Amino acid sequence: MSELQYFVAAVQFLTRLPVPMPGVTVDEDPQKILRRLQHAVVYFPLVGGLIGLATAAMLLAAVGAGFPPWIAALLALGGEAWLTGAFHEDALADSCDALGGGWTREQVLEIMRDSRLGTYGVVGLTIGIGLRAAALATILTQPPAWVLAAVVCSAASGRLAILALMVTTAPTVGREAKTGDVAGRQPIGRGVAAAAFSAALWLPFWFFEPAIMTGSLLVTGVFLWEFRRRILRRVGGTTGDLLGCVAFVVQGIVLLGATLR
């Protein structure tokens, strides 16, 4: 397998873009597909940053077309949700429902498998999207270069947080989800490689505002430590939904930090 195939696999997994896989036949061995996806996670932050680039472009284009900041922010988030298939939004809602409504490990996992949306999921999703929209509308008062740096960094950081949790935490046993296999434990080398491959997408934020970036990293670290502690106690490890939830929350943390400039 080539690095290009790993990158394309990451694009296919994280977005709805119909990108063909080079050198692959339709009847490929499912185990080979799974191994490719497990290696493709190293490109998640890079693909995430590119998604953020698209979101920032839609945001700035909407403002340039004359829309007020709040409407521009919601249009950009709507475009991003279409691009990703609301992948992480769904994970956030499922995780809120499961961790908020499940009393036992079995209940938590069962609720995650349920496609229906409950009260905790609605509240979590409303607050999450509302905060992101508010943050985007707020940073539009800054120069376009800062808007671009902040949105791209937040998107890359959210996917990098997925790798951080994969490196430090094994998946929970007994889960019944395809993403659970993709979300297996990763070696630390892949986490380091993921940060290196996506560095050009999050370093500009650090260049503009090192204090804000450092503060965002500290808050992210505290959140990841506490989230990991709680999910280990509740379900014994990670799931695809929990990883997606982490991506959404960390993306929001970085965006909220950007509003402090």
Side-chain angles (χ1 to χ4, degrees):
M1 298 185 193
S2 67
E3 293 300 317
L4 176 60
Q5 287 182 333
Y6 295 148
F7 174 75
V8 171
V11 173
Q12 291 178 338
F13 190 76
L14 294 175
T15 76
R16 299 174 61 177
L17 296 176
V19 182
M21 178 65 69
V24 173
T25 60
V26 176
D27 57 347
E28 186 180 28
D29 179 12
Q31 287 302 315
K32 191 173 182 180
I33 295 174
L34 178 58
R35 287 196 300 272
R36 183 186 300 119
L37 281 172
Q38 290 171 336
H39 282 79
V41 298
V42 75
Y43 290 107
F44 277 14
L46 176 58
V47 174
L50 295 176
I51 293 171
L53 184 62
T55 303
M58 289 185 282
L59 180 68
L60 294 172
V63 171
F67 288 103
W70 260 95
I71 294 179
L74 290 172
L75 287 173
L77 290 178
E80 180 184 287
W82 174 86
L83 180 62
T84 63
F87 196 37
H88 298 313
E89 288 82 355
D90 178 69
L92 172 69
D94 286 344
S95 297
C96 288
D97 274 335
L99 297 176
W103 289 92
T104 66
R105 179 181 183 275
E106 290 70 26
Q107 286 176 338
V108 171
L109 294 176
E110 180 61 32
I111 293 172
M112 281 189 194
R113 290 191 289 266
D114 193 338
S115 61
R116 292 172 296 181
L117 190 60
T119 302
Y120 289 105
V122 171
V123 172
L125 195 56
T126 301
I127 293 174
I129 292 177
L131 284 174
R132 282 193 66 198
L136 290 175
T138 301
I139 64 174
L140 280 172
T141 60
Q142 298 290 332
W146 171 251
V147 175
L148 186 65
V151 176
V152 171
C153 177
S154 69
S157 298
R159 280 71 176 188
L160 190 56
I162 293 178
L163 268 294
L165 203 57
M166 283 181 169
V167 167
T168 59
T169 314
T172 185
V173 297
R175 66 202 188 283
E176 297 178 5
K178 292 180 180 178
T179 52
D181 293 324
V182 178
R185 187 106 181 227
Q186 294 288 337
I188 190 171
R190 280 191 195 148
V192 174
F197 289 158
S198 60
L201 298 173
W202 50 263
L203 278 177
F205 186 105
W206 210 323
F207 175 79
F208 277 117
E209 290 289 346
I212 291 177
M213 183 63 178
T214 301
S216 296
L217 283 176
L218 290 175
V219 174
T220 295
V222 172
F223 163 72
L224 288 175
W225 181 85
E226 179 62 18
F227 188 79
R228 179 180 183 274
R229 186 182 69 84
R230 287 180 179 272
I231 64 173
L232 285 175
R233 188 178 73 240
R234 297 295 300 277
V235 295
T238 61
T239 68
D241 280 329
L242 293 173
L243 291 171
C245 175
V246 159
F248 189 97
V249 173
V250 170
Q251 191 167 356
I253 289 173
V254 177
L255 271 181
L256 288 175
T259 66
L260 300 177
R261 189 176 196 229

